[in-house]
Amino acid sequence: MTDEAHSTSPSRRALIGWGGAGLALGAAAAGGAVAMTRSGDDIAPTAAEAGAAVEFHGAHQAGIATPVQDRLHFAAFDVTTDDRAEFVRMLKDWTAAARRMTAGKAVGDGAYGGLAEAPPDDTGEALGLKPSRLTLTIGFGPSLFEKFDLADRRPEALVDLPQFAGDNLDKNRSGGDLCVQACADDPQVAVHAIRNLARIGFGKVVIRWSQLGFGKTSSTTPDAQTPRNLMGFKDGTRNIAGTETDRLKKFVWADGKDRAWMAGGSYLVARRIRMHIETWDRTSLQEQEDIFGRDKGEGAPVGKAKERDEPFLPAMKPDAHVRLAHPDSNGGATILRRGYSFTDGTDGLGRLDAGLFFLAYQKDVREGFIRIQRHLSTDALNEYIQHVGSAVFAIPPGVRDKDDWWGSTLFAEEG
């Protein structure tokens, strides 16, 4: 490992040249944080309500099995440099910034008090805010492996998604060479993190598209109240919990048999799903419940009394969403969902541009999302939704310690 990877708090003068044109390294504002423990799959949400920090280091990246935060800023980037060493340097710089931002600390000299002739190191909008359980999770898209002589390192599980029935994908909201998922309990903290990473990456990467999310639609915390999506139904009742180490190992964490550098990582499918809110709101309650296969109040499956009662699939209509998406209907296929609601104004025709930003982590995209989504081709819910954005990413393993960096296992030569 190079000496550059060992520095987690570079001097201000060393940062001024990064990204060209005097661009300095940005970061979150300094602030105290109560540390949350994270060891492998075990994440203890202690003091979460107090704006605690989530441990950045671990065998797996935070932001996957971590208790789901309230807000999201997701960004996909395209790489604009063809210099491999420069790109690796950026990944190390991003890691140093992420390590400090997730701890609620500033990078460099902060937002003020430095050289008057240079841009401040911190953009400043997070000054005085707590860490708010910020997690930053990086992923590499299929197109990245067409660059930097990485073709032979692309995992077989990182497949290009096929066209699914009903897809109406916008290329301007799809794809990307790499992504960063920022989750936090304060939206300003999440936006600040993406903004500063984009700033550090100036001249090497550019944001291709991004998505803000609110109102988590799935939970990874056992016994927590199940969130509701914008259709008013509980979502993710049977989601994998962050404490279910056996299920995480079986369905979420890559074992490295495909590509050794992915051991401890995962695969992410991101889908922007537009909901036809106005049509749904004029649909009868009975039809809504038949479409999902659960009642709207308690969330109980058809014929059952409680939300977490085991569903009896034959009692549901053949095209009910729960019946078609259930593992028993898909050869046991199971994914970890981590989605968010979104509302992005209107579409110019008086209709809300709103829906679900679907995020699903899995061990193998072919055996997870693709299998399930193909089976949902006859889903009655399809009348009220449309997939309009799509991307898939390989999520590398976690940053092990202060000397490690995002992507070190992939870029082994520099590692």
Side-chain angles (χ1 to χ4, degrees), residues 29-54:
V34 180
M36 293 176 67
T37 60
R38 186 169 74 92
S39 175
D41 308 324
D42 186 18
I43 305 162
T46 56
E49 68 282 356
V54 175

Side-chain angles (χ1 to χ4, degrees), residues 71 79 95 124 130 154 256 301 347 365:
R71 302 286 180 152
V79 175
T95 307
K130 296 178 180 179
R154 176 176 172 174
D347 62 0
V365 175

